[in-house]
Amino acid sequence: MKYSIGTPPFETYGIADTGSDITWTQCKPCTSCFDQSLPLFDPKDSSSYALVSCDSDTCSSSQSFGCGTDDECQYEVTYGDQSSTVGDLAIDTLTLGNTSFKSVLFGCGHENSGTFSSDTSGIVGLGGDGATSIIYQLDKKIGGKFAYCLSPDANSTSHISFGPDAVVRGTGAVSTPLIKKAEQATFYWLNLERLSVGGKSLTVKSPSVSISGRRAGGIKQASVEGNIIIDSGTTLTYLPSDLYTSFESAVKDAISATPVSDSSGLFPLCYSSDSLEVPTIIAHFTGADVELSPKGTFVEVEEGLVCLTLIPNTNLGADLAIFGNLSETDYIVAYDLVAKTVTFKPSDCSKF
């Protein structure tokens, strides 16, 4: 996602992530950073940049924040794949499109590592934590509304919008309740009632009373309402193991071709890419049936090999499930934190 930070605006790109809160970018001086093809942000070049002090309310507003050695507030975040970022907590002007927002809290990362590509400078936090997420920081201007349309075509541009432009209505639009849990404020939860494969229905059992968060902290909750996290920052969709077993079986039954092995070992179900007939797969959320795009359901992971992008949650724990970004492709996905809904509308996102 393209955005600018500082005065004058310094343009950069970050991963738009509904599964994390703090927005951060790699900053000079970079003590230990991942390779970045974009220029690094230098806070000395911004006249509106200011560090957050240790004794401020902001510094005590999150477990990710703490006092550094120079009486300046530091942040530290570790993600579920063990990628991490450490740096100074600061405020500066954030520019989205033609609109600028003053005094936005963000992280100036000096030690960053993990699975970040060179095309990004960090993360744009679109999560639900009111202390740090830009969705809440910009709330007076955007009213808790944002939407994105993710294209499965690597050669086309996906789109994101905020405020009134993110309201989605019309033919094909379906809405489901957006569920927030106080113990896991970051995440946006949906309620997945069942999956269907080529007309065969698979019921989703209620989650167990103890499930742990995807990101650092291992927070647990005991509510059965809301059983899957919608997360633009996770690529694949993760299903509870028992549901995945019956789901995979149904997909195999619906495809006449013979499965082949994935050399990486990541994907349990793969086929030769020659004219694969992908069955109709529908995620039935409460009040919203979402037919998954075949382009996002099976993707080519190496030449001649396509694999199912819904996999078991083997390393996530218990019944935790995540609805990842490949399953969201070719839909306008609109979040309304005031109405507490997520709306899906089919769209060719490559021509949005």
Side-chain angles (χ1 to χ4, degrees):
M1 169 181 160
K2 182 169 69 174
Y3 71 100
S4 296
I5 195 77
T7 306
F10 178 86
E11 186 177 284
T12 191
Y13 287 79
I15 299 166
D17 187 5
T18 61
S20 64
D21 297 303
I22 188 165
T23 295
W24 60 269
T25 185
Q26 296 200 121
C27 286
K28 291 182 179 180
C30 236
T31 308
S32 174
C33 289
F34 58 85
D35 290 337
Q36 178 179 315
S37 58
L38 306 163
L40 286 170
F41 175 66
D42 190 342
K44 293 179 181 178
D45 293 338
S46 174
S47 62
S48 50
Y49 178 88
L51 291 168
V52 173
S53 65
C54 275
D55 57 1
S56 66
D57 292 339
T58 300
C59 196
S60 59
S61 64
S62 170
Q63 291 182 342
S64 299
F65 305 159
C67 196
T69 55
D70 299 323
D71 194 37
E72 292 163 351
C73 193
Q74 305 274 295
Y75 78 94
E76 180 173 358
V77 179
T78 300
Y79 300 102
D81 62 0
Q82 299 308 303
S83 298
S84 64
T85 175
V86 179
D88 296 322
L89 196 64
I91 58 171
D92 209 335
T93 297
L94 175 74
T95 302
L96 300 174
N98 297 320
T99 306
S100 294
F101 306 89
K102 295 181 179 180
S103 301
V104 173
L105 188 72
F106 83 109
C108 204
H110 299 296
E111 298 176 40
N112 320 293
S113 63
T115 58
F116 301 105
S117 76
S118 61
D119 298 325
T120 185
S121 68
I123 295 280
V124 178
L126 305 175
D129 189 337
T132 52
S133 170
I134 65 166
I135 300 304
Y136 286 87
Q137 292 193 65
L138 311 184
D139 186 55
K140 290 182 179 179
K141 295 286 182 69
I142 68 173
K145 297 178 178 64
F146 67 99
Y148 49 76
C149 196
L150 305 178
S151 171
D153 182 359
N155 296 318
S156 65
T157 303
S158 297
H159 297 269
I160 189 165
S161 54
F162 298 87
D165 291 341
V167 176
V168 176
R169 300 186 182 92
T171 305
V174 291
S175 297
T176 188
L178 185 159
I179 300 155
K180 295 293 298 295
K181 303 181 181 183
E183 300 88 349
Q184 294 172 302
T186 295
F187 302 129
Y188 301 117
W189 293 83
L190 308 180
N191 192 56
L192 180 64
E193 296 178 344
R194 58 193 176 92
L195 290 170
S196 60
V197 180
K200 182 178 182 180
S201 184
L202 308 167
T203 302
V204 179
K205 75 172 187 177
S206 297
S208 65
V209 296
S210 178
I211 65 178
S212 61
R214 178 172 75 92
R215 312 229 178 232
I219 304 168
K220 295 184 177 180
Q221 56 82 43
S223 171
V224 297
E225 186 181 31
N227 58 6
I228 190 166
I229 295 164
I230 181 168
D231 185 358
S232 69
T234 293
T235 307
L236 305 176
T237 286
Y238 293 84
L239 301 176
S241 296
D242 58 340
L243 173 61
Y244 176 78
T245 300
S246 57
F247 173 73
E248 183 191 270
S249 177
V251 173
K252 284 182 177 178
D253 290 345
I255 295 176
S256 57
T258 302
V260 295
S261 297
D262 162 37
S263 59
S264 74
L266 174 63
F267 297 96
L269 185 60
C270 301
Y271 293 90
S272 169
S273 60
D274 295 337
S275 63
L276 183 70
E277 291 286 338
V278 178
T280 299
I281 298 175
I282 301 174
H284 301 271
F285 299 104
T286 300
D289 295 340
V290 177
E291 182 177 332
L292 306 189
S293 169
K295 294 178 183 177
T297 304
F298 277 89
V299 298
E300 189 171 49
V301 298
E302 59 183 71
E303 188 174 356
L305 185 70
V306 294
C307 296
L308 183 64
T309 61
L310 295 85
I311 68 173
N313 67 348
T314 310
N315 298 318
L316 297 180
D319 291 319
L320 185 66
I322 299 174
F323 195 62
N325 60 46
L326 286 174
S327 293
E328 301 173 50
T329 55
D330 276 342
Y331 274 92
I332 302 173
V333 183
Y335 298 68
D336 188 331
L337 275 55
V338 177
K340 297 180 180 178
T341 59
V342 175
T343 300
F344 297 88
K345 184 176 181 178
S347 179
D348 184 347
C349 295
S350 66
K351 300 175 182 177
F352 186 79

